[in-house]
């Protein structure tokens, strides 16, 4: 297979071991990061060297970083932006030195993702992450003391309010402008290092609490890719994040950007969109949710996709406990399912030749 199957690993504190990950058929790459360094600080080379050695020892390749967080002041274009951008570039260089080929990041204001519950129980007893609008209505982070899943616990409520106000004043066009500044500084460094930068879409891809959201739909992905036209400026195309908006035709988007060779990393997962726009994370199988995972894989296979793929958030099943969405069992099932789809699609292509 052309694509490189990968698995997210949260380092030594992760209850899922590298030994177990290495036992998943077809598993190649580890997706990780240096988690004990704050945004805006340089990653110690010792940490990267250790992670590489740990992966090597289990026959796995540490070549994807998810993620190098972008400091809020870079997104807001304030404070010591130039210094923060220099630190970011240095982190890209250091990752490349230890074999990293793909760096994922996002440009989401304040929150990397938003859910209302991490352990919604399904009829079969499995649990998953969900976002229900009826649990969001009436919440005002500028007035209420809110702690939603996905929100950075390191921020105080006062800091959250200050950030939300600042982003509200910045607006979408301001965020676009600051993203362009980021790309023009970072992507040339990535090109020099042989690294592909892969932006993760907003999750979910529509405004919440009035915060600007820009990596949300085909029109905006087109605009993003034109800001710096280079394979080093690519997408981490997350089917579950973009798929939360019913207006996004995920297989068509995957096909379009795979044809352009502007997808560096695929996050493949399934979600079920409810009538009011709420959504539940589901098992990877197409019939379990709203997304046609077969069509997603076919679009990749038919375009010779050779980037990274990982099964994204899974359910918690078979009594497993741990980081919600990041258990071993359901993600291993997802990886096996995705591997099977790729094998089938590629064999059909070969027979057609």
């Amino acid at each position: 297979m052309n694509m490189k199957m990968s698995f997210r690993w949260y380092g030594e504190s992760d209850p899922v071991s590298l030994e177990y990950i290495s036992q998943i058929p077809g598993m190649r790459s580890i997706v990780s990061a240096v988690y004990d360094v704050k945004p805006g600080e340089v990653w110690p080379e010792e940490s990267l060297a250790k992670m590489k050695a740990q992966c090597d020892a289990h026959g796995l390749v540490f070549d994807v970083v998810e993620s190098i967080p972008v400091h809020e002041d870079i997104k807001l274009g304030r404070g010591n932006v130039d210094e923060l951008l220099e630190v970011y570039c240095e982190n890209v260089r250091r990752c490349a030195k230890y074999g990293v080929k793909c760096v994922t990041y996002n440009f989401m204001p304040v929150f990397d993702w938003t859910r209302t519950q991490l352990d919604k129980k399904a009829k079969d007893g499995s649990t998953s992450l969900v976002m229900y609008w009826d649990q969001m209505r009436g919440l005002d982070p500028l007035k209420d003391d809110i702690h939603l899943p996905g929100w950075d616990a390191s921020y105080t409520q006062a800091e959250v309010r200050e950030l939300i106000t600042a982003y509200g004043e910045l607006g979408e066009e301001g965020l676009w402008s600051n993203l362009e500044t980021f790309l023009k500084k970072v992507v040339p460094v990535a090109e020099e290092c042989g690294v592909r930068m892969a932006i993760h879409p907003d999750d979910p891809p529509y405004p919440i609490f009035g915060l600007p959201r820009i990596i949300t739909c085909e029109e905006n992905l087109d605009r993003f890719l034109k800001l710096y036209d280079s394979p080093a400026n690519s997408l981490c195309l997350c089917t579950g994040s973009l798929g939360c908006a019913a207006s996004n035709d995920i297989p068509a988007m995957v096909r379009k950007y795979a044809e352009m060779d502007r997808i560096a990393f695929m996050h493949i997962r399934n979600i079920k969109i409810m009538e009011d726009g709420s959504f539940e994370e589901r098992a990877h199988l197409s019939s379990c949710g709203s997304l046609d995972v077969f069509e997603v894989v076919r679009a990749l296979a038919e375009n010779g996709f050779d980037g990274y793929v990982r099964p994204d958030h899974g359910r918690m099943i078979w009594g497993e406990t741990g980081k919600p969405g990041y258990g071993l069992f359901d993600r291993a099932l997802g990886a096996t399912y995705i591997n099977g789809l790729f094998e089938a699609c590629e064999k059909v292509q070969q027979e057609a030749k």
Side-chain angles (χ1 to χ4, degrees):
M1 294 187 196
N2 292 321
M3 67 85 184
K4 304 172 185 76
M5 182 58 74
S6 64
F7 210 80
R8 185 86 179 261
W9 182 60
Y10 283 94
E12 291 174 329
S13 65
D14 196 326
V16 180
S17 68
L18 288 173
E19 180 184 359
Y20 288 173
I21 295 170
S22 72
Q23 293 170 15
I24 302 169
M27 192 52 64
R28 177 193 183 278
S29 294
I30 287 296
V31 180
S32 197
V34 175
Y35 294 104
D36 58 355
V37 175
K38 292 178 182 175
E41 295 181 4
V42 177
W43 286 7
E45 286 198 37
E46 309 85 76
S47 300
L48 292 163
K50 183 179 181 183
M51 200 169 295
K52 181 183 187 309
Q54 288 171 317
C55 294
D56 289 346
H58 290 89
L60 297 162
V61 186
F62 171 49
D63 52 358
V64 185
V65 159
E66 184 177 339
S67 57
I68 305 179
V70 180
H71 196 284
E72 300 294 342
D73 285 351
I74 292 177
K75 298 175 197 172
L76 285 163
R78 68 183 189 183
N80 57 337
V81 177
D82 293 340
E83 186 182 320
L84 290 168
L85 287 170
E86 285 295 339
V87 168
Y88 202 98
C89 291
E90 177 60 22
N91 281 334
V92 171
R93 291 187 195 99
R94 290 189 177 199
C95 288
K97 182 176 176 179
Y98 291 92
V100 170
K101 302 295 183 191
C102 177
V103 170
T104 302
Y105 67 101
N106 71 66
F107 227 73
M108 285 181 251
V110 196
F111 319 118
D112 279 2
W113 46 278
T114 302
R115 300 290 186 274
T116 54
Q117 197 175 338
L118 300 181
D119 57 355
K120 177 69 170 68
K121 200 164 190 175
K123 288 179 183 176
D124 62 8
S126 63
T127 62
S128 68
L129 288 73
V130 300
M131 194 188 90
Y132 294 145
W133 278 112
D134 62 357
Q135 294 175 337
M136 293 279 284
R137 286 194 188 93
L139 296 181
D140 183 352
L142 293 178
K143 296 176 184 173
D144 307 320
D145 194 13
I146 299 174
H147 297 278
L148 282 174
W151 289 28
D152 190 335
S154 66
Y155 291 130
T156 65
Q157 287 293 309
E159 286 170 332
V160 165
R161 290 177 184 132
E162 188 276 324
L163 285 168
I164 289 175
T165 301
Y167 278 110
E169 292 168 0
L170 180 72
E172 283 193 10
E173 287 307 315
L175 195 58
W176 276 113
S177 176
N178 294 338
L179 176 54
E180 184 173 8
T181 299
F182 172 84
L183 295 175
K184 287 184 172 174
K185 181 74 176 179
V186 175
V187 177
V189 173
E191 287 174 328
E192 288 170 20
C193 297
V195 167
R196 295 188 77 177
M197 299 298 298
I199 196 166
H200 190 287
D202 296 358
D203 183 7
Y206 35 73
I208 290 177
F209 302 129
L211 289 166
R213 291 272 170 101
I214 57 177
I215 309 299
T216 55
C217 60
E218 185 176 347
E219 179 185 354
N220 285 12
L221 293 182
D222 288 345
R223 178 174 175 178
F224 164 77
L225 293 172
K226 286 173 184 166
L227 290 176
Y228 199 107
D229 191 4
S230 164
N233 178 40
S234 287
L235 305 173
C236 169
L237 201 152
C238 177
T239 62
S241 296
L242 291 168
C244 295
S247 53
N248 284 332
D249 183 338
I250 301 303
M253 292 168 77
V254 170
R255 184 171 295 279
K256 172 178 175 172
Y257 298 116
E259 283 177 359
M260 293 167 62
D261 188 27
R262 297 300 285 277
I263 303 175
F265 194 14
M266 283 294 306
H267 287 184
I268 298 182
R269 61 183 169 92
N270 207 347
I271 46 93
K272 180 70 177 176
I273 305 176
M274 322 311 277
E275 283 185 13
D276 68 347
S278 301
F279 61 87
E280 300 174 349
E281 297 191 2
R282 294 284 182 88
H284 289 75
L285 197 69
S286 295
S287 58
C288 292
S290 300
L291 303 182
D292 191 331
V293 181
F294 166 72
E295 286 297 339
V296 167
V297 170
R298 181 157 74 173
L300 294 167
E302 289 180 353
N303 285 286
F305 178 74
D306 62 358
Y308 298 91
V309 173
R310 79 167 172 85
D312 207 352
H313 314 169
R315 305 163 300 149
M316 299 306 273
I317 62 173
W318 303 338
E320 186 176 19
T321 58
K323 188 177 174 66
Y326 284 99
L328 170 65
F329 303 151
D330 202 45
R331 287 189 296 155
L333 291 176
T336 303
Y337 171 57
I338 295 163
N339 271 330
L341 290 177
F342 267 100
E343 181 179 342
C345 289
E346 289 172 3
K347 283 188 173 174
V348 166
Q349 279 179 260
Q350 288 164 6
E351 289 169 1
K353 286 179 182 175

